[in-house]
Amino acid sequence: MIALVAALVALPSATLTAQDREAAFTVVATGQGFDRLQEAVNAIGDGEGAIAIAPGRYSQCAVQERGQISYLASEPGSAVFDTVTCEGKAALVLRGRGAEVSGLIFQNMRVPDFNGAGIRLEKGNLTVADSWFRDSQQGILTAGDMASQIVVDRSTFSRLGTCEGAGGCAHSIYTGSYGHVRITRSRFEQGAGGHYVKSRAAQVDIASCSFDDAGGRNTNYMIDLPAGASGQISNNWFVQGQSKENYSAFIAVAAEDREHSSAGLTVVGNDARLAPGVDRNTVFVADWSGEMSGIGDNALGRGLKPFEER
């Protein structure tokens, strides 16, 4: 996050004004402008750099093979990547050393295997801030990289997910076996299938987020840690809606396997309840690991059992 903020601060107003006139994508360090995002990515190559993205709607995508690149909206919320994916995967396909994304909107990403995403991360570190993922099959989808970490902050995930594909469901965020996943101050809403967050990371920190499932359709868990995890789920706000493919729990731990220890997972300070008009019994945290032995203090509404071993 520090590097991303520094890059934003480093964008002088004159540079932004010039790039608005001259090019959609500007490599900040050199001032070189391009009409295609892929050309700007290629210009940075195996180095480190930032790309300032002018306001507009872009029907294009890019693959980052190398380097450390920051993708920065010159005006947060004004640059929209719409519909077009690379390699049948995502608007940004990332497999360099690392990437930072700030202020961008990704929408309408759909591909034949039902995994169309705003961002497909295949290796390296990733930081996402102040971005919006909406109306797609997935928001962020990753492979596994235990040596790296993912940070998502102040971002919104709307109308994402599907269970139409033969290979299983898509989700708002689905991370593979990363070393650490941190999601903070973000909003998840109106899911269209699958889970809001599914992560196979060894350590997770999910804090100060809102999970508003009141308008969801055929959704599953709010948070699924299918391989177990340590870390914390704290100070979040959860509302479970009526239309559920599975309403048996809000948070699921080690439901598929026990790749990671869950003994150090803390769930505390959260507020969870059913949406108005929803009348059912469910469980806040369901644990398949046998390692948690309960949770901390949380504010739970009617119909919610705090903890259950399964």
Side-chain angles (χ1 to χ4, degrees), residues 12-256:
S13 59
T15 299
L16 296 182
T17 301
Q19 74 118 47
D20 283 345
R21 290 196 308 266
E22 298 172 4
F25 308 101
T26 300
V27 177
V28 175
T30 64
Q32 189 176 13
F34 300 92
D35 292 330
R36 305 294 301 177
L37 178 58
Q38 188 66 61
E39 294 174 346
V41 170
N42 294 346
I44 294 172
D46 197 34
E48 296 186 14
I51 300 170
I53 302 174
R57 175 184 170 276
Y58 298 102
S59 296
Q60 55 178 287
C61 58
V63 178
Q64 178 187 336
E65 300 276 6
R66 303 174 294 162
Q68 171 80 35
I69 300 178
S70 298
Y71 303 83
L72 312 174
S74 59
E75 296 177 15
S78 66
V80 182
F81 287 87
D82 191 353
T83 307
V84 175
T85 62
C86 284
E87 300 181 346
K89 296 175 180 177
L92 293 180
V93 180
L94 307 173
R95 45 179 176 258
R97 292 195 303 277
E100 298 172 337
V101 174
S102 181
L104 301 181
I105 297 174
F106 301 90
Q107 65 185 26
N108 301 319
M109 303 298 171
R110 296 179 177 85
V111 298
D113 71 357
F114 297 94
N115 282 317
I119 296 174
R120 174 78 73 93
L121 177 65
E122 299 187 346
K123 69 173 184 177
N125 296 315
L126 173 66
T127 296
V128 176
D130 299 312
S131 294
W132 192 355
F133 302 79
R134 62 194 185 195
D135 301 308
S136 301
Q137 291 163 333
Q138 308 229 37
I140 300 172
L141 174 62
T142 89
D145 185 349
M146 288 296 292
S148 300
Q149 69 174 3
I150 298 166
V151 176
V152 177
D153 187 46
R154 300 189 312 271
S155 295
T156 300
F157 299 80
S158 304
R159 300 179 295 278
L160 301 165
T162 178
C163 290
E164 296 177 83
C169 294
H171 316 284
S172 297
I173 295 178
Y174 186 7
T175 79
S177 297
Y178 257 68
H180 187 191
V181 170
R182 179 178 177 85
I183 303 170
T184 54
R185 298 182 293 178
S186 294
R187 178 173 175 80
F188 298 83
E189 62 185 6
Q190 302 177 59
H195 311 300
Y196 287 93
V197 172
K198 182 171 184 174
S199 176
R200 298 180 179 276
Q203 181 175 347
V204 299
D205 292 299
I206 303 173
S208 302
C209 296
S210 65
F211 293 82
D212 186 356
D213 186 46
R217 296 182 290 106
N218 299 318
T219 54
N220 207 303
Y221 304 128
M222 309 281 194
I223 298 174
D224 182 25
L225 309 177
S230 62
Q232 63 170 318
I233 299 172
S234 61
N235 302 311
N236 301 288
W237 181 80
F238 299 89
V239 171
Q240 187 187 83
Q242 180 66 53
S243 177
K244 303 293 292 182
E245 188 272 332
N246 182 349
Y247 63 79
S248 68
F250 282 51
I251 299 169
V253 180
E256 297 179 19

